Structure formats: C-alpha cells, structure tokens
Amino acid sequence: MEKLVINGGKPLFGDIEVSGMKNAALPVILASILIDDKCIIENVPNVSDVALAFEIIQSMGGSVRKINKTTVEIDTRNVTQGIAPYELVRKMRGSYYIVGAELGRFGRGKVGLPGGCDLGVRPIDQHIKGFEALGAEVSIEGGYIEAIANDGLKGSNIYFDAVTVGGTINVMIAAARAKGVTVIENAAREPHIVDLANFLNTCGAKISGAGTDTIKITGVEKLRGCTYAIIPDMIEAGTFMIAAAVTGGKLNIRNVIPKHLESISAKMEEMGIAVEEYDDYVTVYRKKEKLSRINLKTLPYPGFPTDMGPQMCVLMCQAHGVSLLNEGIFSNRFRYVDELRRMGACIKVDDRTAIIEGGQPLSAANLRAVDLRAGAAVVLAGLIATGRTEIEDIHHIERGYDNLVEKLRGVGANIKKVVLPDPATYEKAL
Ligand code: EPU
C-alpha cells in the first residue's frame, strides 16, 4: 500500500513538463491491433493504464518493446482474436477499443465489459449501435461483449444519440477497415479523436472530418505500420495550471498545445488568473489576490472538460463568493466533494450542481483518491492546506498522471510517496 504525504502551503514556481495524453495513447495503442504490423509510438505517458494496455497486447500475442523512456515499438502481427484476459481488461475503461480493433481486423471481437472510474452509469449502447450499423451482431453475456460480422463489416451512416468519445473512437477504429464508406454524425470532437484519426491515416486509413461532428471513413483493405507521436495531455496541463493558481505561484507549463486549453484558460482568466500563451507552453499566475466567483458547466469538447471539474472545484473554493459547477457529462462525478469537505471546504451538491462557497481556509486531513481526477483534486487541495495531508488509494492517480510526485517536487511542492508496510506483515509485527 502506498500513500501521498503533502505538507501544504508552498507556492509552486518554475517549469513543469506535460506528458503524452493518456486518453489518446490508449486508443492508439489498442488500435494497433487493427494495423497488423509494427508501429513506433512516441510521447507515450508512463501511467498504469498505458502499462495495462501493453500487457493486454502482449497477452493477445503481440509484442511491445521499449525503445526509450517515452517511445515503444508495438508489433501486432501475431495477435490472436478473443483472448484478452478478463483480469486485465476489467481494470480499464479503454479496453473496449479491443472490440472495434478486432472487429476491423478479424470480423469478430470479444472483450470483458470495461472498468474505469466510477462516475455513475456508463452505458455502451452507442458503441453497440455503431457496430450493428456496420453489420455486426452484438451480444452481451457473462460479463463479455461480443460482436460478430460473418459477412465482414460494411460502411454505413451512424447518428449517435449522445456525444460519446469512446463510441466515436470505437466505431472509427472498426470502420477503418470496413468495406465502403462510414459517416459518423454527432461525433465527439475531442483532440484525442483527431489524434487517433491522424494515427490511423498515417497507417494508410482514409478518415476525414475528425475534430468536427461529422467524420467520414472510407474503409481500406490493409493498413501498414508507422511512427507516430501522441499529443500532449490537456488534462494534465490543466491540472498544473490550477496548481500554479491555487498555490499563488507561477508555472511555465511546457509541451502543451495552447488551443486545446482554451476552455480552461478562459474560465481561469474570468477568475482573475493570467494564462499567457506561447507556441508550446503557457505561463500561469494570479493577477489578483481575491479570485472572482464563476459559474461553470462541463460539456463535450470544445466545452469545458468534465475531467477538469474536480480540479476546478478546488480553485473555486478559493474564489470570493459562491461559484456553481454543473456536471454536464456524468451522473455521479461529485464523490470527491466529501473529501474536500473534510478539509473545511464549504460545498453543497444538488443533483448535478455543486454550490461552492469560496474563501474557507482548507486544513490538512487524511483523504482518499476516490477516482483519477478526484485524486488530482485532493492533491491540489493538499498543496494549499495548512499542515500534513495524507492521501490513500493513489493507484487511481497513477492510472493517469505520469510521475506526478517528481514533477510537483521539481517546482517546489513538499510532496512524497510513502510505501506502507503490507497490512498482513504489519499485523503480525504488532
Ligand atoms: N454514453 C452513452 N452511451 C454510450 C457511451 C456513452 O449514453 O454508448 C454517455 C455516458 O454515459 C456519458 C456520456 O455519454 O454520460 C459521455 O461518455 P463518453 O463515451 O464520452 O466517455 P468515455 O469514452 O466513457 C472518455 C474518457 C473519460 C472522459 C470522457 C468524457 C477514456 C478512456 N475515458 O470516457 O476520461 O471523462 O471520455 O470526456 O478516454 C479520465 O481520464 O479521468 C476519464 C474519466
């Protein structure tokens, strides 16, 4: 068991580097199953979800070779369909991309139903609708989803009833090798959708319109390996932007695409925080001591990202007056609020809206990372709280933040990871 220990109250100053985006790396890595060749992927984040994706590829007969700290070679020529172990896939939401990739390559795909953060009900009906439109028969049995297209996949028109990142990605992967043209309407527009399309196109796919709500995919028979670099993680960047603001410091956040951060920058500017944009970095600091209150709703891209809601809530705790944070994507994203309340934050939750009365000082407490972004929020709160904050269940944080402790220490945070004795050994010793 491991936990984080933070002695709060230190403003953060200096340069901090952003890694490759987890939510782009996962589909690119799992889509490599479809490529049936060797790919070199660069700017890969060192996070446990990505490590799990590599294990899954290996368990299916593929090979993964580390070339350097952030570059890997993935060879999927020997991948066999339908054997990804449930024990691995159940730990990660993105594992459902295996179905799209297997369907596209073998005409059938099967995987254990996905895990991931508990953010409320997370149906996959739109993925199923997409696979069925491409001609697959889909069944869910014994905790597995299976899609079979005996006559191969055929291009089709698909209109999503909900804007879904995972659904758009999964159908785009499957359709890349279907016969004919697929058009996805009401598609998600997130930067990682564009990144996946760019990766597949570099491998020979014919995808246009990624980044808009209509994506056209002209299926090709074969794809070939390529070298591709993952885009920077806008959520990690946003988390560091808030770290600069909440601690009253000044950070240069490097290796970012400022355009991807626009919705975050705009809300922070509205509160009185400077976000200076340069080619591949942003500099963030407070322009005024008393931050202004704001209202915020999380939305699909280019709206404000749901994955930045918890971190933003910590910033709102420091604003002058009452801020409203409305969650527009998931039904249960406020489990971190109880943790912040334990530190003295004054937050009420009414259905999908958190009502945050700013200005209450936060004091250190023993906390849990209840999910990935909730974990980031309690780390941020720990950085500003007076006293020693301890955070458990940090495996959630390590699913999506590359080397967070070292990166924060590099800009002056007093944070460390402590390995606790195994409870059984500990009990015996008592
Ligand atoms: N939805 C449906 N039917 C579907 C699919 C989704 O109704 O078939 C609904 C969901 O219930 C939700 C909404 O549509 O209310 C959006 O879900 P989406 O499919 O866009 O989310 P996801 O693919 O499950 C990804 C990220 C999440 C991120 C969301 C939204 C990955 C592996 N996960 O999830 O990332 O919050 O998009 O941007 O890419 C995180 O990294 O911390 C994280 C939770």
Side-chain angles (χ1 to χ4, degrees), residues 190-414:
E190 269 68 3
H192 30 306
I193 307 268
V194 180
D195 208 34
L196 175 69
N198 287 342
F199 165 69
L200 291 171
N201 284 343
T202 313
C203 294
K206 290 190 179 152
I207 302 173
S208 58
T212 75
D213 58 8
T214 305
I215 302 178
K216 183 176 163 193
I217 306 142
T218 305
V220 296
E221 211 168 293
K222 259 195 91 55
L223 294 166
R224 56 175 185 274
C226 75
T227 298
Y228 191 79
I230 302 290
I231 51 167
D233 195 318
M234 61 188 235
I235 304 300
E236 186 192 15
T239 305
F240 294 153
M241 288 164 75
I242 295 195
V246 288
T247 62
K250 182 174 183 178
L251 291 177
N252 301 315
I253 298 151
R254 301 209 173 260
N255 183 33
V256 302
I257 298 173
K259 170 103 189 109
H260 294 170
L261 304 173
E262 266 171 5
S263 63
I264 304 166
S265 306
K267 288 321 270 189
M268 292 182 73
E269 294 263 7
E270 201 180 317
M271 295 179 82
I273 295 154
V275 180
E276 292 169 3
E277 291 183 6
Y278 302 92
D279 281 353
D280 63 351
Y281 73 99
V282 289
T283 300
V284 180
Y285 56 93
R286 278 184 190 220
K287 281 190 287 199
K288 56 184 191 184
E289 191 47 41
K290 255 188 184 173
L291 297 178
S292 309
R293 60 157 299 279
I294 53 160
N295 293 339
L296 174 62
K297 182 176 172 73
T298 65
L299 290 166
Y301 191 84
F304 191 93
T306 173
D307 291 346
M308 280 299 299
Q311 303 89 314
M312 201 64 183
C313 182
V314 178
L315 187 57
M316 288 165 157
C317 284
Q318 290 193 323
H320 185 64
V322 176
S323 295
L324 300 180
L325 169 60
N326 181 259
E327 170 56 35
I329 310 288
F330 292 110
S331 57
N332 184 18
R333 190 137 214 186
F334 289 124
R335 293 190 309 138
Y336 62 89
V337 163
D338 279 341
E339 302 300 305
L340 297 181
R341 281 197 194 117
R342 291 155 61 79
M343 304 178 85
C346 188
I347 309 171
K348 280 192 212 126
V349 175
D350 181 9
D351 191 22
R352 293 250 190 142
T353 304
I355 303 152
I356 303 144
E357 196 184 321
Q360 316 295 325
L362 299 184
S363 55
N366 290 346
L367 305 170
R368 281 184 57 226
V370 294
D371 62 53
L372 168 54
R373 309 302 170 185
V378 291
V379 168
L380 291 168
L383 291 174
I384 48 179
T386 41
R388 178 185 161 109
T389 291
E390 298 194 3
I391 302 171
E392 288 185 13
D393 290 340
I394 61 170
H395 58 95
H396 284 297
I397 301 174
E398 289 171 347
R399 285 185 42 219
Y401 285 91
D402 180 353
N403 219 1
L404 182 66
V405 170
E406 283 314 307
K407 287 187 186 186
L408 290 175
R409 284 173 73 89
V411 288
N414 185 337

Side-chain angles (χ1 to χ4, degrees), residues 9-25:
K10 290 209 159 27
L12 305 185
F13 286 99
D15 288 22
I16 192 162
E17 191 84 19
V18 171
S19 299
M21 185 179 203
K22 170 194 75 115
N23 286 348

Side-chain angles (χ1 to χ4, degrees), residues 112-148:
L113 284 167
C117 289
D118 177 9
L119 309 174
V121 191
R122 296 178 79 175
I124 54 166
D125 57 308
Q126 299 303 305
H127 301 235
I128 294 172
K129 174 174 157 168
F131 294 148
E132 286 176 342
L134 295 175
E137 270 184 36
V138 184
S139 57
I140 294 186
E141 235 181 271
Y144 282 79
I145 168 171
E146 185 165 27
I148 301 177

